[in-house]
Amino acid sequence: AQLDVLGRADKARALRQCGETAMVWECSPCGDPHASVAVLVGCGLRVCPWCATRTAAAARARGLRAMAALPEVMRRGHSEALDAARAETRKRSEAVAYWRRKAQGSKAAYFTQQLTAATERYRAARRVEAEVASVHRWQWRLITVSPKWTPADPTEVEVEGLRRRSAELWEAWERVWGVVGAGGYAAAVAHIECSAGGHIHVHALVFGPWRDVEDMAAAAGCIVDVQKRYDGHADGGGAEASDDGGGAEASDDGGGAEASDDDGDGAIGRALRGAATEALKYALKGPGLWSEWVAGAPCEVASPRLAAAWQVACEHAQLVRRWGPMRDADREASTAAPS
């Protein structure tokens, strides 16, 4: 009904019909009239409990394939990446020498300012070069970027408010990526999600060097949480270490894709699969296909008004984005994926 209010009658109709019909087959040998049941779904809405579950499962499987392909992608590109990082360091060093010559014997503040800026860029380039050279020390981390918002303001959960907050959130994540991305050589997949209460945040699974969470928060201008880190290379081969004292696998709040070993991701450890589930789950946090809720049990869910506004706000929006070598790994995994 709220989609109708927002002028999306076609989507409202599709949502009403989604999951309403099932194909049922009986078992001839035993006579069970409901031996096999297939629910007919396909509205494709990001807020549909049926379709969102299927979309989350597909996104997770695709992400796991890309994560499994990442070590080989990075191995092939490491020499070129290191050469590029070293070239950038030389370029920045030459800039420092240039501005130092200009500043010597000159009282102009401009030259001193340029020298200071060039020196900072040189130090940053040296750090990136060192990070790329020590890629064997990199780890996976699940990073959450949570901007402040005003729940009491009704415009915050209207279509335009949600769009504005989403755009601002991606900008905040881009600034975090500037801190953790090792000059673009690290790898990341990030997903924007709306909680049942209307809080928009980003979950990002990042493979890269260690960076202090305070530096990330300062760059983002909001709360940044490093929920977990996973020791070892991109194959997830090491032991998991938790930044919050917890060792439990990420869950999906009552539904969705469960971690399994049948996604073509044999190189990915169990804990890392759980992190992928957390990073690539629903666009709108909800009950998923929690069987008790489907059967009629009560469950706390998002307001229909919020769900409809989020659906409209996300139209033509890319909710999952990739950075660095993760893009190449995703392309390779998608090409190699079975039809």
Side-chain angles (χ1 to χ4, degrees), residues 3 10-20 39-56 58 282-284 307 310-312 314-317 319:
L3 284 168
D10 55 336
K11 288 182 170 54
R13 182 168 55 255
L15 182 58
R16 286 191 181 99
Q17 295 172 351
C18 193
E20 193 175 60
V39 180
L40 303 183
V41 299
C43 73
L45 269 64
R46 284 164 164 163
V47 299
C48 170
W50 289 100
C51 294
T53 299
R54 298 203 311 175
T55 301
Y282 309 132
L284 177 69
W310 182 240
Q311 173 64 41
V312 175
C314 291
E315 287 178 352
H316 312 299
L319 300 189

Side-chain angles (χ1 to χ4, degrees), residues 114-127:
Q114 291 299 316
L115 175 59
T116 301
T119 301
E120 288 300 316
R121 288 191 289 268
Y122 168 67
R123 289 172 179 169
R126 283 191 63 187
R127 178 166 186 168

Side-chain angles (χ1 to χ4, degrees), residues 17 28 54 61 91 107 111 121 138 172 182 191 195 198 209-210 227 248 262 267 273 277 281 305 315 317 329 331:
Q17 295 172 351
S28 298
R54 298 203 311 175
K91 175 183 174 182
K107 297 181 179 180
F111 295 119
R121 288 191 289 268
W138 289 9
H191 176 225
S195 75
W210 178 88
Q227 297 173 350
D262 58 358
R273 290 199 304 271
T277 299
K281 58 182 182 180
R305 186 174 299 173
E315 287 178 352
R331 281 192 291 269

Side-chain angles (χ1 to χ4, degrees), residues 6 11-12 15 37 48 69 74 86 136 148 172 199 250 258 279 297 303 305 311 313 318 320 324:
L6 294 176
K11 288 182 170 54
L15 182 58
V37 180
C48 170
M74 295 189 69
R86 288 169 174 166
H136 57 283
K148 294 180 180 179
H199 176 51
E258 296 292 336
S303 158
R305 186 174 299 173
Q311 173 64 41
Q318 187 179 11
V320 179

